[in-house]
Each structure stands twice: as C-alpha cells, then as structure tokens.
Amino acid sequence: MDTNPQPKKVAVCGGGVIGVCTAYFLSKNGASVTLIEQSSVACAASGKAGGFLALDWCDGGPVASLARASFNLHRSLAQELNGSESYGYRPLTTLSVSVTESSSSSSSSSNRTGPIPSWVDGPAKSPRTIGSTDSTAQVHPEMFTKTLLSKAMEDYGVELVIGKVERVEMADGKTIGVVLEDGREIGAEAVVLALGPWSKRFSVLGSLFRVYGIKAHSIVLEPKEANRITPHALFLTYCPAQGGKPMDPEVYPRPTGEVYICGMSAQAEVPDDPEQITPVPESINVLKRVAATVSSHLVEGEAAVKAEQACILPCSEDDVPIIGEVPGIKGCYVATGHSCWGILNGPATGAAMAELVLDGHASIVDLSRFDPGRFASALKK
C-alpha cells in the first residue's frame, strides 16, 4: 500500500499576480507546480498596476467576499513575508479630492479645508476620507508578485519555465498537460490558465466567453523631497482647464519614495506580446499635467520621471471575474477577468483555485458566482 502518494502535478500558465498566487498556494499545499510564462514574470499589468488594496470597496457586489478574503490574506502574507520591507506593503489613508486645473501657470492652494496633506499644495478642495488604515493599503505589485514567486520556488519547489503555451493537451476529455510553441510538452494532471487578457488566445476559452482589454496609463515619479510625501492615496475628480468631462486619475505615494499616478483608460486591442504594449504620448502628458497641478513636489524638475507606461487590464463581458473549472474539460481551470482589482484579489483567487484543484471545492470563497459555466448556460438560451 502506497503511504506516500505522489504530489499532484499542476501546470499554471501565466506569470502575473493571479498565476503566481495560484502557484504559491498550490505548492504550499503539496502540489508539484510548473509555472509557465511567455515573457517575464509580472511583465504586464502585474508589474505596472498601482497596487491599491481595499477591504470593503466591492461590498454590495458579486466580488465582495473575494475582496474581503483577499484583503485579509494580503495582511497575513505581509506578516509572513516581511511585506513592508520586501514589497512595500503598508496601510494607507485614502482621500477623495476635487482638483480644478487653472488656465494660468500658477496654481492656488487657497481655501484649503479638511484633511488635505501639506504636499498637495495645488488647487485641491472638497476632501473626503474614503479609506482608513484599517480598510485601505498598498503593495508594489511587481515586487509583491516576484517575492511570492521566489518564496514558492525556494521553499515549495515551484519550477519556472519561460515559453509560450500553444495548447492544452487532452485525452478522453481529461487534461494531461500543455504543449509549448517550441514543441516542449509539460505533463500535468491539472492546468490553470491565468492569462489575463490573453485568455482569448485559447479556443477552449474563446469559444466560451469573451475577455477584452482596458488599456490604462501610468507614470512613476521620484520627488526630490520624497520625505515630504505622506502615505495618502488620492482619488481625484480632476477638471481640465479647457473644460470637458472631469477625469478620475489616482495618485499613490509609495514607501520607496516614488509616486505612482494612473488614469487615461480605454478599451484596446491586446497585442500578442505583452512587451508590445506602449503608452499613448498624449495620455502620459495629461498625467504629468495632473501631477504638476496636484503638487509642486511632482512638477518635472522637482521630480524625476522613472517610468511612462501602459498595461492592459482583463475584463469579462459581465464585469465579474472568471474563476473555476472549464466546462466539459476535466482538470482544466481558468482564472481571469479581474479588471482593476487583480492585485487586490490575487491572493484569495490563488488560494481558492488551489483548494478547487486539490480538494474539488473552495472553502475560502464561494466560487459559484465566478464559475465559467455561467457563459455556457447563457449560450444555450
């Protein structure tokens, strides 16, 4: 009698935060995991996102339980992995602020009221606290993803393979592994497709549901007086000087001394290679103008521009993540469609997926609302 059964072999496809979290929790719970990434780990949205975390901002919607579980997992992972030092985890106060851009060259900070931080010395008004240090936090997403993978590789034996997955290999309706573009075959009893907006590349998924991409722009600045920047995340209602619809950029100071500013999002085509995603210059210029209007510390010259970038966020057609076993294919699972909450919801998605693959059901979160089978049911109607 075999008292030491072999660990379950699982291939996780996709080296972003969802794939890495899934590989981490699978391997921590005894699976033999191969993580396959076509380019480099956290090279797309997981390396260029803001890393903002919120406990209760999804309350009242289908993602509420996932978000709450994941926020708490982020906290416990930060304790386990020394997240404050290794990937910039920290609680934040989060403010909603209105900013009206002036047509003149000088900005006025007069009539300041309420909890506006001193470094926000532009024309900011109507501040409102929308998150406390109990309910909002942040990580540096690339550092978080890479720290988690390093831990999984060093302590739990995850193997990282760089290569493009061509197809899922099946026999008798069951998954038996994946085949890479260069012909390599990786045997596995289960395959997890965590490919973000690239999910549609697989006919097995593309025939079932649509995942489209939202292209979001961001800049990373390094102020000369970084010590003046307090840990306040800003969600702006920003009115341009030339009029038109207000914009909603976001500003996240990081404990590294950098300040991350994002916005200017629109639906976009998804290129084959994540390295081909390039920012639209005009969108970057708008974000620089936002930064300079919000704070004199963020004007070019007072702050170095460390990055000008764009990433593509994966969105499902019903705006709910897709997490579960692919209908009709035993042992093939998918996790995608997390939109702008991928960094927040990565840990609980990974933990739930590990439970589903290894135990047949998830206990940390009820995954029924995220079941990809919902699209199959819709197709039959």
Side-chain angles (χ1 to χ4, degrees):
M1 185 174 177
D2 187 1
T3 56
N4 292 302
Q6 292 288 54
K8 188 167 190 173
K9 289 185 178 180
V10 185
V12 178
C13 306
V17 70
I18 303 298
V20 167
C21 285
T22 300
Y24 174 83
F25 284 105
L26 277 166
S27 60
K28 189 176 183 179
N29 287 287
S32 173
V33 179
T34 303
L35 179 70
I36 307 158
E37 161 58 40
Q38 88 167 55
S39 184
S40 59
V41 171
C43 65
S46 298
K48 298 179 175 68
F52 179 76
L53 313 175
L55 171 67
D56 52 7
W57 287 24
C58 298
D59 280 7
V63 186
S65 60
L66 183 71
R68 282 180 166 269
S70 214
F71 185 87
N72 291 327
L73 261 180
H74 265 293
R75 186 183 288 146
S76 59
L77 283 169
Q79 293 170 345
E80 179 186 338
L81 302 173
N82 190 22
S84 60
E85 294 294 325
S86 53
Y87 52 81
Y89 175 88
R90 70 175 173 183
L92 283 172
T93 297
T94 303
L95 305 176
S96 168
V97 180
S98 295
V99 174
T100 300
E101 189 177 83
S102 172
S103 55
S104 66
S105 57
S106 62
S107 298
S108 170
S109 58
S110 61
N111 302 319
R112 294 167 57 86
T113 59
I116 298 177
S118 60
W119 59 272
V120 181
D121 54 8
K125 61 182 181 178
S126 307
R128 187 165 56 92
T129 301
I130 54 176
S132 70
T133 51
D134 291 325
S135 64
T136 54
Q138 71 182 145
V139 296
H140 187 298
E142 181 182 7
M143 291 163 67
F144 169 71
T145 304
K146 290 183 173 179
T147 297
L148 207 61
L149 180 57
S150 294
K151 175 76 171 176
M153 293 175 70
E154 291 166 12
D155 289 10
Y156 308 128
V158 168
E159 180 187 359
L160 175 63
V161 171
I162 301 298
K164 186 175 181 180
V165 178
E166 182 83 5
R167 67 180 185 274
V168 178
E169 198 81 324
M170 294 175 285
D172 301 322
K174 293 182 181 178
T175 301
I176 60 171
V178 295
V179 178
L180 305 191
E181 192 177 53
D182 60 12
R184 283 180 289 174
E185 298 181 9
I186 296 173
E189 300 157 74
V191 171
V192 179
L193 300 173
L195 298 162
W198 289 274
S199 301
K200 65 179 185 178
R201 210 173 62 204
F202 284 79
S203 58
V204 67
L205 301 181
S207 60
L208 186 63
F209 55 76
R210 174 174 171 256
V211 173
Y212 65 95
I214 295 289
K215 187 174 185 177
H217 290 78
S218 59
I219 58 175
V220 180
L221 305 178
E222 190 173 75
K224 287 179 180 176
E225 295 184 283
N227 61 324
R228 300 281 297 275
I229 311 296
T230 56
H232 290 82
L234 307 178
F235 283 70
L236 305 179
T237 299
Y238 188 92
C239 300
Q242 68 270 30
K245 185 179 176 183
M247 300 182 294
D248 52 0
E250 299 159 19
V251 181
Y252 307 139
R254 288 173 167 167
T256 56
E258 298 172 338
V259 178
Y260 175 98
I261 301 159
C262 64
M264 308 303 293
S265 303
Q267 192 165 332
E269 283 300 309
V270 182
D272 285 341
D273 185 346
E275 307 288 355
Q276 294 172 341
I277 300 169
T278 55
V280 176
E282 176 54 28
S283 295
I284 296 298
N285 289 337
V286 169
L287 292 178
K288 289 179 179 178
R289 202 168 73 235
V290 168
T293 303
V294 166
S295 174
S296 62
H297 298 283
L298 303 181
V299 177
E300 278 197 81
E302 291 301 312
V305 180
K306 303 288 286 186
E308 301 175 357
Q309 58 196 14
C311 63
I312 295 184
L313 307 174
C315 304
S316 70
E317 48 199 310
D318 62 1
D319 296 321
V320 176
I322 304 164
I323 309 167
E325 191 167 23
V326 178
I329 308 175
K330 190 166 179 57
C332 184
Y333 303 83
V334 61
T336 188
H338 291 74
S339 183
C340 62
W341 291 115
I343 305 300
L344 166 64
N345 289 323
T349 298
M353 185 61 76
E355 291 178 330
L356 183 62
V357 171
L358 297 176
D359 304 331
H361 67 279
S363 60
I364 188 171
V365 176
D366 179 2
L367 289 179
S368 57
R369 183 63 185 85
F370 310 109
D371 190 341
R374 70 187 188 268
F375 298 105
S377 302
L379 289 171
K380 291 175 183 175
K381 291 180 181 177

